[in-house]
């Protein structure tokens, strides 16, 4: 259960995200409560408000690379708002949710278009070479891969819990495939900072998880 202090920090971040868009306080509070409810649905163990907080914090470090920081922050809040491990269209549904949600808040169409594009790019975790806003969100989303070994094991366990409906053998096969796809990429991260300082740790953690999966 999130603590009051944690929720206060999240709400402050939400208010900061909306700053400059002229959203009134009551609408902002209702929107925040709706987001909290969405990220608190049963079956979430990793893709929770804690993940959003971590992504938001990493964006703060990488914000110098963005063209539209406000859109990146909004995309962070909405990129996993719909999350069903048995579905294949979570990103599209999250983008659709964001479009309707932000339209109702009066966010400009140009900003919403950027937000939905960024969200859709989280499906394959790929971004165009000049799409710096997507690159920052993607790097923030995958920052967990480069964390310390204890937190990485907690992350891997939480992902397994989210796929609790899958048989162990099927999960190992599927998870190994996802992880190996990251290792096959020329780079996991896009921003210079993450490429230099996070990439080696991420690759080491991924290789370690694969070995753990195969060793049972």
């Amino acid at each position: 259960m999130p603590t009051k202090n944690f929720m206060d920090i999240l709400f402050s971040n939400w208010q900061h995200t909306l700053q400059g868009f002229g959203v009134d306080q009551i609408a902002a509070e209702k929107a925040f409560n709706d987001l909290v409810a969405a990220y608190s649905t049963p079956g979430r163990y990793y893709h929770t408000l804690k993940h959003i907080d971590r992504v938001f914090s990493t964006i703060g470090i990488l914000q110098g690379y963005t063209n539209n920081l406000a859109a990146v922050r909004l995309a962070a809040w909405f990129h996993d708002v719909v999350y069903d491990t048995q579905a294949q269209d979570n990103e599209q549904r999250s983008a659709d949710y964001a479009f309707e949600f932000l339209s109702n808040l009066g966010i400009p169409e140009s900003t919403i278009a950027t937000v939905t594009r960024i969200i859709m790019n989280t499906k394959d975790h790929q971004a165009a070479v000049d799409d710096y806003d997507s690159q920052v969100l993607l790097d923030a989303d995958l920052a967990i891969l480069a964390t310390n070994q204890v937190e990485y094991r907690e992350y891997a366990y939480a992902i397994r819990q989210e796929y609790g409906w899958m048989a162990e053998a099927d999960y190992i096969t599927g998870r190994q495939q996802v992880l190996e796809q990251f290792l096959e990429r020329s780079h996991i991260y896009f921003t210079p900072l993450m490429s230099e300082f996070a990439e080696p740790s991420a690759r080491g953690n991924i290789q370690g998880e694969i070995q753990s999966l195969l060793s049972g």
Side-chain angles (χ1 to χ4, degrees):
M1 190 76 173
T3 64
K4 182 180 185 301
N5 185 53
F6 176 70
M7 296 303 292
D8 287 344
I9 292 171
L10 275 181
F11 184 58
S12 177
N13 286 340
W14 173 242
Q15 289 179 305
H16 190 53
T17 301
L18 295 180
Q19 192 173 5
F21 290 117
V23 178
D24 73 76
Q25 183 71 9
I26 294 176
E29 288 184 17
K30 182 184 183 304
F32 178 73
N33 290 335
D34 288 345
L35 283 170
V36 169
Y39 280 99
S40 303
T41 51
R44 290 178 182 260
Y45 296 90
Y46 173 70
H47 293 88
T48 62
L49 291 168
K50 182 179 178 182
H51 170 58
I52 300 306
D53 179 61
R54 181 189 289 268
V55 169
F56 206 85
S57 295
T58 307
I59 289 171
I61 297 170
L62 303 175
Q63 62 182 341
Y65 297 114
T66 64
N67 286 325
N68 189 337
L69 179 57
V72 176
R73 285 172 169 161
L74 285 169
W77 282 100
F78 288 92
H79 77 286
D80 284 325
V81 71
V82 176
Y83 187 74
D84 176 0
T85 55
Q86 299 190 55
Q88 301 294 320
D89 60 349
N90 289 318
E91 294 79 13
Q92 182 64 62
R93 290 164 64 196
S94 292
D96 291 345
Y97 185 105
F99 179 87
E100 181 175 356
F101 198 104
L102 296 175
S103 296
N104 290 336
L105 287 178
I107 305 300
E109 289 183 9
S110 59
T111 301
I112 296 175
T114 302
V115 170
T116 55
R117 185 191 75 240
I118 295 171
I119 292 172
M120 289 304 298
N121 283 337
T122 65
K123 185 173 182 65
D124 297 315
H125 280 93
Q126 296 285 4
V129 293
D130 60 347
D131 187 356
Y132 302 113
D133 294 326
S134 288
Q135 290 177 15
V136 167
L137 190 279
L138 296 179
D139 278 9
D141 192 29
L142 295 180
I144 187 66
L145 298 179
T147 191
N148 63 69
Q149 291 184 357
V150 173
E151 286 193 344
Y152 188 89
R153 283 195 294 270
E154 292 174 352
Y155 150 73
Y157 179 67
I159 295 295
R160 179 64 183 106
Q161 286 181 292
E162 290 184 338
Y163 286 84
W165 53 271
M166 287 188 75
E168 185 72 7
D170 293 337
Y171 179 78
I172 290 172
T173 299
R175 181 67 176 168
Q176 181 184 354
Q177 183 178 23
V178 169
L179 294 172
E180 287 179 343
Q181 285 173 350
F182 279 119
L183 292 180
E184 289 167 1
R185 289 165 53 157
S186 60
H187 55 84
I188 295 172
Y189 297 112
F190 296 92
T191 59
L193 187 67
M194 294 293 283
S195 292
E196 181 176 355
F197 294 104
E199 185 95 12
S201 296
R203 289 186 177 274
N205 281 332
I206 291 171
Q207 289 168 342
E209 184 181 354
I210 291 173
Q211 291 173 357
S212 177
L213 288 169
L214 296 180
S215 66

